[in-house]
Amino acid sequence: VSHQRTDWISIHGHICQLLFPVLGPQPCFHSERDRKHGKEQLLRRQESLIAVALSTAQGFVWAGKPLEAIPAALQALRFSSRVFGSGSVQLVPIYLLLAEASTGTGRLRQAAKYLSQARWIILQTPDCSAALQSKLHRGLGLFSIAEGNLDQALYHLANDVYLATAEFGLNSVEVSGGYFHMANIFFRQNEMDAANSLYTEV
């Protein structure tokens, strides 16, 4: 019952009306033109459902409610896999979000699986953007912090900063997140000069 309640609060209350046109029986079309139009309409509905589920999950993570984020992110993953394919690069942000939410609930083993999926897809995508690779390294960095492996976390966050800089430029807002998490690590290690320098950079 508690799982159903969490699921309803997280996502089903938002997407209930969208589910039937996507999962229900599809109309029978008599012409090629109608079939094509029907497919396009179904695709638009699925993409709309994915967008709602993903933004809802992200909102819960930002609000510090990782448990509520998971059902919404899983819905986004389910429909994205159906629309784009299970090995598509479009799934990477969802896997990273699931990893972050799982880490936030203390499910580190599950988080590691999601990060492995994201990393595998990126390795299979030679033309993957530096921006997406940067997000992967940030996710790996945050996971390493949760595990208590601060040296590994600094390695990944340094890669995050490097890749974000390559994609967006040295003084971009996108770079600041990596600096911020690195500064927090140096602060925990009582290396105040390095921490203050990075906080200033942020």
Side-chain angles (χ1 to χ4, degrees), residues 3-101:
H3 282 292
Q4 286 178 331
R5 191 180 300 117
T6 302
D7 196 49
W8 179 260
I9 292 168
S10 171
I11 190 60
H12 273 102
H14 301 281
I15 64 168
C16 217
Q17 307 90 332
L18 298 170
L19 282 173
F20 184 75
V22 171
L23 296 178
Q26 298 302 309
C28 183
F29 299 108
H30 299 294
S31 72
E32 184 60 37
R33 183 180 164 201
D34 288 344
R35 268 193 294 279
K36 187 179 176 187
H37 177 71
K39 276 187 176 179
E40 288 170 359
Q41 200 170 34
L42 178 62
L43 181 61
R44 278 196 301 273
R45 285 175 178 156
Q46 288 172 323
E47 287 174 342
S48 174
L49 204 149
I50 292 164
V52 170
L54 195 52
S55 66
T56 301
Q58 187 68 74
F60 279 123
V61 168
W62 286 337
K65 298 177 178 178
L67 187 63
E68 287 89 340
I70 291 171
L74 286 172
Q75 284 292 342
L77 181 64
R78 176 186 177 193
F79 285 100
S80 293
S81 297
R82 183 178 290 188
V83 172
F84 305 114
S86 59
S88 169
V89 77
Q90 277 93 340
L91 272 61
V92 170
I94 305 170
Y95 279 126
L96 295 177
L97 189 58
L98 279 164
E100 188 176 351

Side-chain angles (χ1 to χ4, degrees), residues 67-182:
L67 187 63
E68 287 89 340
I70 291 171
L74 286 172
Q75 284 292 342
L77 181 64
R78 176 186 177 193
F79 285 100
S80 293
S81 297
R82 183 178 290 188
V83 172
F84 305 114
S86 59
S88 169
V89 77
Q90 277 93 340
L91 272 61
V92 170
I94 305 170
Y95 279 126
L96 295 177
L97 189 58
L98 279 164
E100 188 176 351
S102 297
T103 301
T105 60
R107 300 171 185 170
L108 296 185
R109 186 176 293 178
Q110 190 61 50
K113 287 180 183 177
Y114 290 133
L115 287 167
S116 292
Q117 289 278 32
R119 183 184 251 170
W120 175 251
I121 291 171
I122 284 178
L123 287 171
Q124 299 300 307
T125 311
D127 58 345
C128 183
S129 70
L132 201 54
Q133 292 178 61
S134 164
K135 286 180 181 178
L136 172 65
H137 279 286
R138 185 169 304 177
L140 290 165
L142 293 174
F143 177 75
S144 297
I145 292 170
E147 281 193 314
N149 191 343
L150 300 185
D151 289 337
Q152 186 73 12
L154 285 171
Y155 166 79
H156 286 300
L157 293 168
N159 277 312
D160 166 24
V161 168
Y162 172 77
L163 290 160
T165 300
E167 183 77 14
F168 302 107
L170 195 59
N171 296 315
S172 64
V173 173
E174 288 82 0
V175 178
S176 64
Y179 282 138
F180 179 73
H181 293 300
M182 288 175 76

